[in-house]
Amino acid sequence: MTNEELKRTLWDAANKLRGSVSAAEYKYPVLGLVFLKYVSDMFDAQAAVIRRRLADPKSDLYVDDAATRAEIEPTFTADKTFYDQDNVFWVPPTAHFSALLKQATDVELPQKLDVAMGEIEAENASLKGVLYREFSRLALAEGKLGELMGIVARLKFDPEQHGSLDVFGEVYEYFLGEFALTEGAKAGEFYTPKSVVNLLVEILAPFKGTIYDPACGSGGMFVQSARFKDAHQKTLGKKGDLAIHGQELMAQTRRLCLMNLAVHGLDGDIGQTYGSTFTNDQHKTLRADYILANPPFNIKDWDGDKLKGDPRWVYGPPPEGNANFAWLQHMLARLSSRGRAGIVLANGSMSSQQSGEGDIRKAMVEADVVECMVALPPQLFSNTQIPACLWFLAATKRAGVGGSIDRRKQVLFIDARKAVSGRISRTQVEFTDADLHKIALTYHRWRGSDFSDGGAYTDEAGFCKSVRLEEIRQHAHVMTPGRYVGAQVADDDEEAFTEKMDRLTALLAEQLARGAELDAKIREKLGALGYAV
């Protein structure tokens, strides 16, 4: 099987076992078992590493006598120290996936899984309170949990064989996406479509510094940012490094994030606990180089009434009935002096004049902290039909920070509504790699960044335009890209706009006149038949 076939087979098999358990509830035990298999395989792989070190003359653990080596090997492979020093989770023998799989038909399996997860948490401080420990409460038919373990057991992880292609990480992300499609509206609590995450990452290009997501969900922004960094280390000829920080409102979603980071071998500070970023900010002193976020759209109950006079509201107090501009200002407050942010928001944020939102937007534009606006196509999100856009903010747009071109008092507008060519289903589209490359390259050329191909930026009718502050003022600080990029002219259409308008106007007048003639004839015929007209 290819990886894609494996993931699809695993999902189909697991989903058949769900029965009456809702997808929203079912994802936690499924992903919990995926994680248990991952840490168990990693534990076994580390034991093999220790054995090789004992037999390697260049190793600090080398023992030259084979008999002595065989005698002491069990002691060394059972020494937690040798796992901790390589950041491998310690798995007690009774909690190992293989040990529990042997008891798959035991009626006590749910309870034993709960105990096993507790044992793993107790041995690994970073997992305390993270793992799923409610298998015994699942309303699954007897034997179904054992069958589910059998499906997950088909996953094999060998860090030497797979290298950076983390099969577990791919399966984990794939399952998150499938659960998102299944759950619909509830998916917004934990999942951002992969192509949207990729677009944010490709434009922000996080490579070295601090990265922050104040509404981190299951951690997709962090995972993709780390992949971007790894992919570009060789091309840039230098080592990247990202320090991860985040916060999540929902306790269970926070656990998904911590497991997701662990599956991908990432460390991160996701705060001491779950909670509102607005009223219980876990990172008040943080100043991030990159902020990526997809906060919930248009939320009303965000406790804005409790935050009047908050120092984050530099550009004006956000309305109590909508958190969009609270999110934007919170992220601006957390940027470093060189920081940049990419945020997914509802389209209304680009033009709304209600409750002072227009004044806040004007103040942000005049302060020159808005760098780029991207209009997104419909049907990108499985969980909402609300049209969305991307805001890119920057602490400074001067040359030397984020790019070699000084873009102060300018904003790049990109209309990506027609720049999408991928389709997931009848009701959902996605950006292909080619789509992402075109949009991101447009931005990087505009900024003259390290991730540009060296080509010059040019405006493209119907797609992108670099706009000076004076023109934005003329549009009353409305930030909708369609207002600025104009209409796209087809390559094979050389007819001038004014000529086309004159021709179409004349055609319309002709058709209206013809309609009037037909109306008169109909009235004449009806009158001849004795009808009053």
Side-chain angles (χ1 to χ4, degrees), residues 134-145:
E134 298 183 11
F135 290 98
S136 56
R137 296 185 182 182
L138 278 175
L140 284 173
E142 186 175 317
K144 292 293 185 183
L145 196 54

Side-chain angles (χ1 to χ4, degrees), residues 430-457:
E430 67 175 352
F431 290 115
T432 64
D433 289 344
D435 300 333
L436 293 171
H437 179 72
K438 177 182 179 180
I439 298 169
L441 186 59
T442 298
Y443 167 83
H444 290 299
R445 284 179 172 177
W446 182 74
R447 284 296 279 125
S449 80
D450 291 342
F451 301 93
S452 169
D453 62 352
Y457 167 82

Side-chain angles (χ1 to χ4, degrees), residues 19-36:
S20 60
V21 179
S22 70
E25 183 182 4
Y26 191 59
K27 69 171 174 283
Y28 298 109
V30 169
L31 294 170
L33 287 176
V34 169
F35 182 78
L36 178 61

Side-chain angles (χ1 to χ4, degrees), residues 41-42 44-46 49 52 157-165:
D41 280 10
M42 286 298 293
D44 293 344
Q46 181 65 10
V49 168
R52 286 197 297 272
F157 184 75
D158 181 345
E160 292 188 354
Q161 178 182 344
H162 296 295
S164 62
L165 294 176

